[in-house]
Amino acid sequence: MLSVKTPDEVLAVIVEEFAPRLEKELVSLNAALGRVLCEEIRAGEFVPGFDRSTVDGFAVRAADTFGCSDAVPAILTLDGEIRMGTPADTPLRAECCMAVPTGGAVPPGADAVVMLEYTERYGDGTIGISKPAPPGANLIFKGDDVSPGKVVLPAGRRLTVQDIGALAAMGIAEVPVCRRPVVGILSTGDELVPVEQQPAQGQVRDVNSAMLRALMEQAGAQVKSYGIIRDQEDLLDQALKTARKDCDVILLSGGSSVGTKDATCRVIEAQGKVLFHGIAMKPGKPTIFGKVDGKPVIGLPGHPVAAFFVAHLFVLPLLARLSGQIIRRFSVPAVLTETVGANHGRAQYTGVFLTERDGTLYARPIHGKSGLITALAGSDGYFCIPRDCEGVPAGETVSVTLYSVD
Ligand code: AMP
Ligand code: MG
């Protein structure tokens, strides 16, 4: 008998049954993109470490420029030049200015920088300033970016390009991250042949191994592929025994529905326990969640589109759970271009293609049976029709969840 869960219940089971368990490791900043922080990152120093000019110009005391104009420039004595990469130790005296390049240090006593465009060198050691600079103009002060102790990135953050920039600025050359999860992938089915092989009548190519590998790698996991396993319980049993030694998560696909050849459930039961069998969703109902040695073993549906949605909706959150990752998934409102029916008591997930016209997003739904994986190619996201809803008419706004994850 299937013990069917709703999608929300599945997410709750993931949290209940699996705790963060991936150990910490230090990686160099150059290898940190896409890794999950296992500790919050606090600034250890001031960024910038000194007051800096944001323009090429002259460091001044703002008060010395008050009231100046094109007609009546303020005339200040040029008292030296700050060079890039060197400190500005000599305080700026009243009625004086110092030349400073963009990014250069601003001397003590100066509280503004006047852009070169509003100045004139008279050639006698004085500079004419034709525009008043209010205090703080064209400079950033020491610590404006961050000061020591400020939390810049939270634990669980999956590092993006922008984050790498911030870590570099703070001098964090080694980053504390969670070990990457190792995900084992097994495809089951007598009809499956490897991608590079021409299928004979009745055979199909193994889509799931390649697709799931891509999804898992995109999510930051390391993948071990165990290839195609024939529909024989002892072979599957053996493959799972090998995979459970090497992997943190095991994904089996195919053989998850209730049928004589569907050995996945029995094999998981023999080596551990089945947490539930069946999710009230379409596509994707025949899904098994199990636990062996405390590790998740997931029996995904064989239909590639169903396997895709189940993996996206539940395996990604599961991976995130194991590393304590904060999941960031975004939805956008979009106008549905065609009516989509649903009436089967299960949450229905429909892939869509997004286009933008005059500032409005339109979602064109994918039609087709769950086996048609090529229909999914090129799609941008999906929307969900709840189990108690009979469909969504064309013209209605739906909330489209984007596939792209950080
Ligand atoms: P099953 O879950 O084993 O009953 O399979 C359901 C459907 O998905 C069948 O049509 C299978 O041929 C197909 N299928 C199973 N595994 C794969 C796979 N790895 N790649 C492509 N199609 C598959
Ligand atoms: Mg099968």
XYZ file of all heavy atoms in Angstrom, residues 325-399:
560
model
N 22.361 24.505 3.946
C 22.306 25.604 2.972
C 20.969 26.332 3.031
O 19.913 25.708 3.166
C 22.514 25.037 1.559
C 22.559 26.104 0.487
C 22.387 25.519 -0.910
O 22.661 24.351 -1.134
N 21.931 26.331 -1.832
N 21.041 27.646 2.934
C 19.823 28.445 2.824
C 19.368 28.360 1.369
O 20.120 28.730 0.466
C 20.105 29.927 3.153
C 20.733 30.075 4.536
C 18.846 30.764 3.023
C 21.406 31.425 4.763
N 18.166 27.842 1.150
C 17.660 27.708 -0.229
C 17.089 29.045 -0.676
O 16.335 29.675 0.056
C 16.554 26.642 -0.280
C 17.189 25.277 -0.444
C 15.580 26.932 -1.384
C 16.883 24.594 -1.735
N 17.480 29.467 -1.844
C 16.924 30.705 -2.400
C 16.286 30.347 -3.734
O 16.963 30.028 -4.693
C 18.031 31.739 -2.572
C 18.508 32.295 -1.236
C 19.923 32.811 -1.311
N 20.091 33.689 -2.438
C 19.711 34.976 -2.458
N 19.150 35.519 -1.407
N 19.897 35.711 -3.516
N 14.972 30.371 -3.735
C 14.240 30.001 -4.938
C 13.275 31.146 -5.197
O 12.592 31.588 -4.275
C 13.471 28.720 -4.623
C 13.170 27.897 -5.817
C 12.698 26.512 -5.399
N 13.772 25.525 -5.497
C 13.565 24.228 -5.506
N 12.343 23.756 -5.406
N 14.563 23.392 -5.604
N 13.228 31.619 -6.424
C 12.432 32.809 -6.682
C 11.285 32.533 -7.636
O 11.408 31.738 -8.567
C 13.313 33.922 -7.235
C 14.334 34.371 -6.232
C 15.664 34.015 -6.348
C 13.936 35.113 -5.130
C 16.592 34.406 -5.400
C 14.859 35.514 -4.176
C 16.192 35.160 -4.312
N 10.169 33.192 -7.367
C 8.999 33.075 -8.240
C 8.688 34.438 -8.832
O 8.902 35.466 -8.179
C 7.795 32.607 -7.436
O 8.070 31.361 -6.860
N 8.187 34.416 -10.054
C 7.788 35.666 -10.698
C 6.352 35.521 -11.197
O 5.951 34.435 -11.604
C 8.715 36.015 -11.889
C 10.110 36.359 -11.415
C 8.771 34.890 -12.913
N 5.558 36.598 -11.141
C 4.206 36.518 -11.692
C 4.268 36.569 -13.218
O 5.042 37.337 -13.778
C 3.508 37.761 -11.121
C 4.604 38.699 -10.726
C 5.865 37.905 -10.548
N 3.465 35.720 -13.860
C 3.451 35.705 -15.329
C 2.038 35.361 -15.796
O 1.312 34.620 -15.130
C 4.454 34.691 -15.862
N 1.675 35.927 -16.941
C 0.331 35.706 -17.493
C 0.346 34.417 -18.318
O 1.146 34.273 -19.245
C -0.087 36.902 -18.379
C -1.450 36.648 -19.016
C -0.095 38.189 -17.562
N -0.529 33.503 -17.967
C -0.600 32.219 -18.659
C -1.200 32.428 -20.052
O -2.246 33.075 -20.189
C -1.477 31.280 -17.827
C -1.374 29.790 -18.096
C 0.049 29.281 -17.849
C -2.355 29.034 -17.189
N -0.549 31.876 -21.097
C -1.032 32.127 -22.459
C -2.050 31.089 -22.936
O -2.739 31.306 -23.918
C 0.139 32.137 -23.465
O 0.755 30.845 -23.429
C 1.161 33.202 -23.142
N -2.105 29.943 -22.261
C -3.069 28.908 -22.653
C -3.670 28.304 -21.388
O -3.000 28.242 -20.359
C -2.366 27.773 -23.415
C -1.855 28.161 -24.776
C -0.895 27.096 -25.327
O -1.186 25.900 -25.200
O 0.154 27.503 -25.855
N -4.893 27.853 -21.513
C -5.544 27.216 -20.369
C -4.849 25.891 -20.041
O -4.484 25.137 -20.929
C -7.031 26.958 -20.719
O -7.634 28.240 -20.927
C -7.745 26.214 -19.610
N -4.659 25.667 -18.762
C -4.069 24.394 -18.326
C -5.062 23.701 -17.401
O -5.464 24.261 -16.377
C -2.729 24.620 -17.591
C -2.167 23.294 -17.092
C -1.718 25.301 -18.511
N -5.464 22.519 -17.785
C -6.431 21.771 -16.984
C -5.743 20.923 -15.935
O -4.571 20.580 -16.063
N -6.468 20.623 -14.890
C -5.954 19.732 -13.842
C -7.166 19.275 -13.051
O -8.030 20.078 -12.741
C -4.998 20.475 -12.917
N -7.240 18.023 -12.783
C -8.373 17.566 -11.981
C -8.135 16.135 -11.562
O -8.767 15.221 -12.029
C -9.669 17.668 -12.805
C -10.900 17.446 -11.923
O -10.779 17.355 -10.709
N -12.061 17.357 -12.547
N -7.213 15.975 -10.676
C -6.869 14.596 -10.323
C -6.496 14.461 -8.858
O -5.915 13.487 -8.447
C -5.737 14.094 -11.216
C -4.791 15.201 -11.595
N -4.043 15.868 -10.672
C -4.537 15.793 -12.787
C -3.339 16.818 -11.271
N -3.628 16.799 -12.559
N -6.774 15.508 -8.082
C -6.515 15.409 -6.643
C -5.037 15.413 -6.277
O -4.668 15.043 -5.173
N -4.190 15.811 -7.230
C -2.753 15.898 -6.926
C -2.247 17.255 -7.369
O -2.751 17.816 -8.341
C -1.971 14.824 -7.698
C -2.257 13.423 -7.242
C -1.354 12.449 -7.971
N -1.940 11.935 -9.185
C -1.249 11.459 -10.212
N 0.078 11.489 -10.176
N -1.836 10.983 -11.267
N -1.258 17.777 -6.659
C -0.649 19.044 -7.086
C -0.027 18.812 -8.452
O 0.695 17.840 -8.654
C 0.421 19.455 -6.083
N -0.309 19.705 -9.391
C 0.219 19.516 -10.753
C 1.267 20.572 -11.065
O 1.022 21.772 -10.907
C -0.919 19.597 -11.763
C -0.430 19.555 -13.203
C -1.568 19.501 -14.196
O -2.414 18.610 -14.123
N -1.614 20.458 -15.098
N 2.419 20.113 -11.517
C 3.515 21.015 -11.876
C 3.629 21.067 -13.391
O 3.734 20.031 -14.047
C 4.828 20.530 -11.240
C 4.753 20.593 -9.744
C 4.214 19.533 -9.007
C 5.143 21.731 -9.055
C 4.093 19.603 -7.630
C 5.031 21.811 -7.672
C 4.508 20.749 -6.968
O 4.384 20.838 -5.611
N 3.580 22.273 -13.926
C 3.643 22.452 -15.376
C 4.808 23.360 -15.720
O 4.907 24.478 -15.194
C 2.324 23.085 -15.883
O 1.241 22.253 -15.476
C 2.318 23.215 -17.403
N 5.683 22.871 -16.589
C 6.818 23.680 -17.043
C 6.332 24.783 -17.977
O 5.324 24.609 -18.673
N 7.017 25.903 -17.986
C 6.625 27.026 -18.860
C 7.848 27.662 -19.521
O 8.964 27.589 -19.016
C 5.872 28.141 -18.085
C 4.588 27.622 -17.483
C 6.752 28.782 -17.019
N 7.569 28.276 -20.671
C 8.555 29.136 -21.340
C 8.155 30.571 -21.048
O 6.990 30.930 -21.232
C 8.529 28.915 -22.852
C 8.795 27.493 -23.253
C 7.748 26.596 -23.404
C 10.093 27.057 -23.464
C 8.001 25.277 -23.767
C 10.351 25.739 -23.829
C 9.299 24.854 -23.985
N 9.079 31.366 -20.622
C 8.764 32.761 -20.303
C 9.202 33.675 -21.441
O 10.264 33.477 -22.037
C 9.494 33.197 -19.030
C 9.027 32.561 -17.724
C 9.941 32.998 -16.580
C 7.581 32.936 -17.413
N 8.357 34.662 -21.737
C 8.782 35.738 -22.638
C 8.316 37.042 -22.021
O 7.332 37.065 -21.272
C 8.146 35.635 -24.041
O 6.749 35.400 -23.884
C 8.758 34.540 -24.875
N 8.991 38.118 -22.343
C 8.624 39.412 -21.789
C 8.191 40.328 -22.924
O 8.870 40.399 -23.961
C 9.827 40.010 -21.058
C 9.449 41.237 -20.262
C 10.572 41.717 -19.355
O 11.546 40.989 -19.150
O 10.443 42.854 -18.882
N 7.042 40.972 -22.742
C 6.572 41.956 -23.722
C 6.039 43.167 -22.976
O 5.191 43.025 -22.091
C 5.429 41.344 -24.571
C 5.873 40.861 -25.938
C 4.740 40.636 -26.946
N 3.449 40.260 -26.420
C 3.062 39.027 -26.127
N 3.901 38.019 -26.268
N 1.848 38.789 -25.666
N 6.558 44.316 -23.314
C 6.104 45.575 -22.701
C 6.064 45.488 -21.175
O 5.094 45.920 -20.540
C 4.712 45.952 -23.237
C 4.715 46.088 -24.752
O 5.772 46.476 -25.297
O 3.689 45.781 -25.382
N 7.065 44.878 -20.624
C 7.161 44.858 -19.168
C 6.324 43.794 -18.491
O 6.308 43.696 -17.260
N 5.605 42.981 -19.277
C 4.811 41.905 -18.665
C 5.416 40.567 -19.060
O 5.816 40.372 -20.209
C 3.350 41.965 -19.174
O 2.825 43.248 -18.842
C 2.485 40.891 -18.529
N 5.481 39.640 -18.091
C 5.973 38.293 -18.394
C 4.808 37.410 -18.804
O 3.730 37.456 -18.179
C 6.620 37.678 -17.158
C 8.074 38.012 -16.862
C 8.513 37.241 -15.611
C 8.980 37.633 -18.041
N 5.028 36.616 -19.832
C 4.022 35.648 -20.275
C 4.593 34.246 -20.123
O 5.772 34.010 -20.413
C 3.637 35.905 -21.736
C 2.902 37.215 -21.897
C 3.607 38.399 -22.113
C 1.509 37.277 -21.794
C 2.951 39.618 -22.222
C 0.848 38.493 -21.911
C 1.564 39.651 -22.124
O 0.903 40.848 -22.221
N 3.745 33.335 -19.673
C 4.171 31.946 -19.470
C 3.416 31.048 -20.435
O 2.193 30.946 -20.366
C 3.895 31.519 -18.032
N 4.172 30.438 -21.357
C 3.541 29.486 -22.272
C 3.756 28.089 -21.698
O 4.894 27.657 -21.501
C 4.191 29.585 -23.671
C 3.594 28.615 -24.679
C 4.009 28.992 -26.099
N 5.448 28.972 -26.317
C 6.150 27.861 -26.580
N 5.551 26.696 -26.644
N 7.443 27.945 -26.785
N 2.659 27.400 -21.407
C 2.817 26.106 -20.728
C 3.263 25.002 -21.684
O 2.986 25.045 -22.878
C 1.404 25.813 -20.210
C 0.497 26.551 -21.135
C 1.244 27.777 -21.584
N 3.939 24.015 -21.128
C 4.321 22.833 -21.899
C 3.169 21.846 -21.813
O 2.702 21.540 -20.723
C 5.566 22.167 -21.290
C 6.748 23.112 -21.371
C 5.857 20.838 -21.962
C 7.943 22.633 -20.581
N 2.743 21.391 -22.958
C 1.745 20.322 -22.937
C 2.467 19.018 -23.197
O 3.574 18.984 -23.686
C 0.686 20.562 -24.017
C -0.186 21.728 -23.687
N -1.014 21.736 -22.585
C -0.336 22.937 -24.275
C -1.638 22.902 -22.536
N -1.237 23.653 -23.547
N 1.860 17.953 -22.862
C 2.482 16.670 -23.195
C 2.523 15.757 -22.004
O 2.386 16.192 -20.862
N 2.716 14.499 -22.306
C 2.741 13.490 -21.253
C 4.067 13.577 -20.518
O 5.045 14.122 -21.028
C 2.555 12.109 -21.865
C 1.230 11.986 -22.580
C 1.116 10.636 -23.263
C -0.120 10.625 -24.127
N 0.102 9.924 -25.390
N 4.116 12.968 -19.352
C 5.305 13.160 -18.521
C 6.541 12.507 -19.120
O 7.647 12.781 -18.713
C 5.057 12.640 -17.116
O 4.781 11.266 -17.139
N 6.380 11.654 -20.119
C 7.557 11.004 -20.697
C 8.294 11.864 -21.710
O 9.408 11.532 -22.108
N 7.690 12.948 -22.139
C 8.278 13.716 -23.249
C 9.301 14.728 -22.746
O 9.006 15.899 -22.577
C 7.162 14.420 -24.023
C 6.102 13.478 -24.595
C 5.001 14.265 -25.286
C 6.725 12.475 -25.561
N 10.491 14.259 -22.546
C 11.522 15.100 -21.937
C 11.923 16.243 -22.851
O 12.243 17.328 -22.376
C 12.764 14.259 -21.548
C 13.808 15.115 -20.822
C 13.420 13.586 -22.748
C 13.413 15.588 -19.478
N 11.871 16.036 -24.180
C 12.340 17.107 -25.060
C 11.430 18.331 -24.972
O 11.861 19.448 -25.237
C 12.434 16.641 -26.528
O 11.183 16.050 -26.874
C 13.552 15.657 -26.728
N 10.164 18.106 -24.571
C 9.258 19.242 -24.428
C 9.727 20.180 -23.313
O 9.420 21.369 -23.309
C 7.845 18.743 -24.129
N 10.480 19.631 -22.390
C 10.947 20.421 -21.245
C 12.169 21.277 -21.614
O 12.462 22.273 -20.963
C 11.331 19.448 -20.125
C 11.269 19.898 -18.684
C 9.888 20.378 -18.313
C 11.689 18.747 -17.770
N 12.848 20.837 -22.673
C 14.085 21.537 -23.056
C 13.767 22.994 -23.376
O 12.800 23.291 -24.067
C 14.716 20.863 -24.273
N 14.559 23.879 -22.882
C 14.374 25.292 -23.161
C 13.404 25.986 -22.236
O 13.242 27.210 -22.305
N 12.746 25.234 -21.357
C 11.779 25.892 -20.462
C 12.513 26.600 -19.331
O 13.682 26.331 -19.052
C 10.768 24.884 -19.919
O 11.411 23.918 -19.121
N 11.816 27.536 -18.700
C 12.460 28.433 -17.733
C 12.075 28.167 -16.282
O 12.770 28.555 -15.358
C 12.074 29.884 -18.058
C 12.504 30.283 -19.455
O 13.717 30.263 -19.711
O 11.636 30.572 -20.297
N 10.907 27.563 -16.094
C 10.442 27.366 -14.724
C 9.129 26.604 -14.757
O 8.761 26.034 -15.793
N 8.441 26.604 -13.646
C 7.180 25.869 -13.581
C 6.220 26.600 -12.656
O 6.621 27.448 -11.858
C 7.416 24.442 -13.064
C 8.000 24.414 -11.673
C 7.199 24.491 -10.541
C 9.388 24.360 -11.487
C 7.746 24.512 -9.266
C 9.946 24.382 -10.226
C 9.110 24.450 -9.119
O 9.657 24.494 -7.868
N 4.939 26.265 -12.793
C 3.981 26.736 -11.793
C 3.194 25.532 -11.310
O 3.179 24.481 -11.948
C 3.073 27.846 -12.346
C 2.041 27.369 -13.334
C 0.718 27.186 -12.938
C 2.379 27.109 -14.655
C -0.240 26.756 -13.839
C 1.428 26.667 -15.560
C 0.119 26.493 -15.158
N 2.577 25.703 -10.178
C 1.885 24.581 -9.547
C 0.392 24.870 -9.481
O -0.013 25.975 -9.103
C 2.454 24.376 -8.141
S 1.607 23.066 -7.235
N -0.404 23.892 -9.864
C -1.855 23.993 -9.670
C -2.183 23.110 -8.462
O -1.899 21.904 -8.487
C -2.626 23.516 -10.919
C -2.207 24.353 -12.145
C -4.129 23.603 -10.683
C -2.882 23.954 -13.440
N -2.728 23.692 -7.396
C -2.973 22.909 -6.183
C -3.938 21.754 -6.434
O -4.724 21.787 -7.382
C -3.577 23.924 -5.205
C -3.344 25.264 -5.801
C -3.142 25.085 -7.265
N -3.908 20.772 -5.554
C -4.668 19.527 -5.761
C -6.177 19.754 -5.864
O -6.867 18.996 -6.529
C -4.351 18.536 -4.650
C -4.724 19.032 -3.259
C -4.148 18.176 -2.167
N -4.632 16.804 -2.248
C -4.257 15.841 -1.421
N -3.392 16.107 -0.463
N -4.733 14.630 -1.538
N -6.682 20.786 -5.203
C -8.132 20.977 -5.181
C -8.607 21.954 -6.264
O -9.738 22.402 -6.262
C -8.566 21.487 -3.796
C -7.699 22.637 -3.330
O -6.857 23.111 -4.140
O -7.841 23.072 -2.176
N -7.741 22.265 -7.224
C -8.089 23.255 -8.244
C -8.255 22.553 -9.591
O -7.514 21.633 -9.923
C -6.958 24.287 -8.301
S -7.150 25.507 -9.577
N -9.244 23.008 -10.359
C -9.556 22.307 -11.606
C -8.836 22.877 -12.825
O -9.215 22.598 -13.950
C -11.060 22.302 -11.839
C -11.783 21.540 -10.743
C -13.171 21.112 -11.127
O -13.655 21.585 -12.171
O -13.764 20.339 -10.379
N -7.862 23.692 -12.614
C -7.104 24.225 -13.740
C -7.029 25.738 -13.674
O -7.643 26.371 -12.803
N -6.254 26.298 -14.610
C -6.078 27.751 -14.660
C -6.369 28.214 -16.089
O -5.776 27.704 -17.041
C -4.628 28.149 -14.268
C -4.471 29.664 -14.290
C -4.276 27.610 -12.889
N -7.297 29.179 -16.249
C -7.619 29.643 -17.599
C -6.536 30.569 -18.166
O -5.811 31.218 -17.411
C -8.921 30.417 -17.417
C -8.947 30.812 -15.981
C -8.122 29.820 -15.210
N -6.478 30.614 -19.505
C -5.562 31.536 -20.179
C -5.854 32.952 -19.703
O -7.015 33.306 -19.459
C -5.755 31.437 -21.690
N -4.820 33.757 -19.555
C -5.000 35.152 -19.148
C -4.833 35.356 -17.646
O -4.621 36.475 -17.181
N -4.926 34.274 -16.896
C -4.745 34.360 -15.436
C -3.250 34.517 -15.115
O -2.402 34.010 -15.840
C -5.259 33.063 -14.819
C -5.481 33.146 -13.329
C -6.970 33.134 -12.999
O -7.737 33.897 -13.642
O -7.333 32.350 -12.136
N -2.952 35.198 -14.024
C -1.550 35.331 -13.618
C -1.176 34.166 -12.699
O -1.889 33.875 -11.743
C -1.323 36.671 -12.900
O -1.598 37.722 -13.841
C 0.110 36.815 -12.412
N -0.093 33.512 -13.044
C 0.394 32.416 -12.203
C 1.760 32.792 -11.636
O 2.418 33.709 -12.134
C 0.501 31.083 -13.000
C -0.874 30.586 -13.402
C 1.400 31.239 -14.230
N 2.151 32.083 -10.589
C 3.447 32.350 -9.976
C 4.438 31.306 -10.487
O 4.311 30.121 -10.190
C 3.285 32.256 -8.455
O 4.524 32.441 -7.845
